[in-house]
Amino acid sequence: MAHPLIGIHAALGEIGVLAFLWVFVELLNPTIERVKRAKIVALMGIIFLFMSWVTAGYYYVNIYGPEVKPIIKGGPMPWAHSIFTETKEHVFLFLPFISLFTLGLLHKHEKKLITDKNIKKSLLILCGLIVLIGLSMAGMGYIISTGARTALEAGFI
Amino acid sequence: MKIHEKALTISTSSTIVLIAVLTIWSELSTPFKIWLTGIAGHHWVTKGVFSLVFFVITYFVFSKFSEDNVKKETSCVVVSAILSGLAIFLFYIWHFFSG
């Protein structure tokens, strides 16, 4: 059975990313109420991303490294670890900082962004970037799981 | 607390670049990777702790500087994230095929 932390870290991360998709939608046509809601949702998103960081980190250091990594590296898809796990574990670290930056801008320009198109566009781009990086995390997670599954199917235990 | 936009931009962009540099450097230099591992027990944990500490320090250092404009600052963060992400991904492709 797959370790529960795989699902837990993925769920926390996806909720965090979906929160920024929500912020994106709120800011498409911002009003005072929508900006207020966007600030709360962005803060929730950051909390979920940090919880994902901690759970993923615990799983990666204590379970994935000693148990799953050798299986993938010995299987038919060693590149699933060597390229995708390595990229995922490091590019993920961008997310908490970009999301903090986004919340910072949102707080600072909460009044101006309703009328200033440049600020609105900047925040939309940042939310879009967070969502795209988050989706790429999910995609790489799928490739890594496939790497482990194919190794087990091929008898590498 | 008043948020200093320029400091936040510099701390975010430079932290992203720092993550990319630490990642690539630790793969190219075994002693450096061992040193990182020795600090927190795992090189990835040390990179995370370093990034957080670096982010906070650079924010407070650069909060003494004057403000800039949002469009320029957002571009700085977005470009550093895309280029650093690509650098890490392409490095690991090269590393896999050259190893």
Side-chain angles (χ1 to χ4, degrees), chain B residues 72-88:
Chain B
K72 199 172 150 191
E73 287 153 358
T74 302
S75 307
C76 186
V77 170
V78 171
V79 168
S80 61
I82 292 171
L83 292 182
S84 299
L86 271 176
I88 290 172

Side-chain angles (χ1 to χ4, degrees), chain A:
Chain A
M1 190 187 127
H3 196 284
L5 278 179
I6 298 174
I8 292 169
H9 96 274
L12 291 169
E14 292 310 313
I15 294 170
V17 165
L18 285 174
F20 280 92
L21 181 62
W22 184 347
V23 175
F24 181 93
V25 174
E26 295 284 10
L27 297 182
L28 282 172
N29 193 11
T31 60
I32 294 170
E33 271 305 302
R34 286 173 187 160
V35 172
K36 199 175 160 188
R37 213 159 38 225
K39 278 165 54 189
I40 296 167
V41 177
L43 179 63
M44 295 301 294
I46 290 172
I47 293 169
F48 275 99
L49 287 174
F50 272 87
M51 288 197 294
S52 177
W53 187 357
V54 173
T55 50
Y58 180 85
Y59 171 76
Y60 173 69
V61 171
N62 296 298
I63 296 138
Y64 178 88
E67 294 173 21
V68 185
K69 177 181 160 181
I71 295 173
I72 298 176
K73 289 199 88 166
M77 291 170 62
W79 47 267
H81 170 81
S82 303
I83 297 173
F84 288 98
T85 304
E86 297 284 10
T87 301
K88 184 176 185 268
E89 78 183 56
H90 293 104
V91 172
F92 169 82
L93 295 174
F94 298 176
L95 277 178
F97 300 105
I98 300 172
S99 57
L100 279 171
F101 177 70
T102 306
L103 181 65
L105 286 192
L106 199 50
H107 268 275
K108 174 130 194 195
H109 298 288
E110 59 183 306
K111 291 188 179 80
K112 273 200 285 178
L113 81 89
I114 296 169
T115 49
D116 190 325
K117 283 189 176 173
N118 277 337
I119 296 173
K120 185 182 106 170
K121 197 173 158 190
S122 297
L123 281 161
L124 288 174
I125 289 170
L126 286 166
C127 291
L129 181 68
I130 292 168
V131 172
L132 286 178
I133 294 177
L135 291 177
S136 77
M137 294 291 115
M140 286 190 267
Y142 167 75
I143 293 169
I144 296 159
S145 298
T146 306
R149 219 169 23 248
T150 51
L152 291 172
E153 284 166 2
F156 292 91
I157 301 174

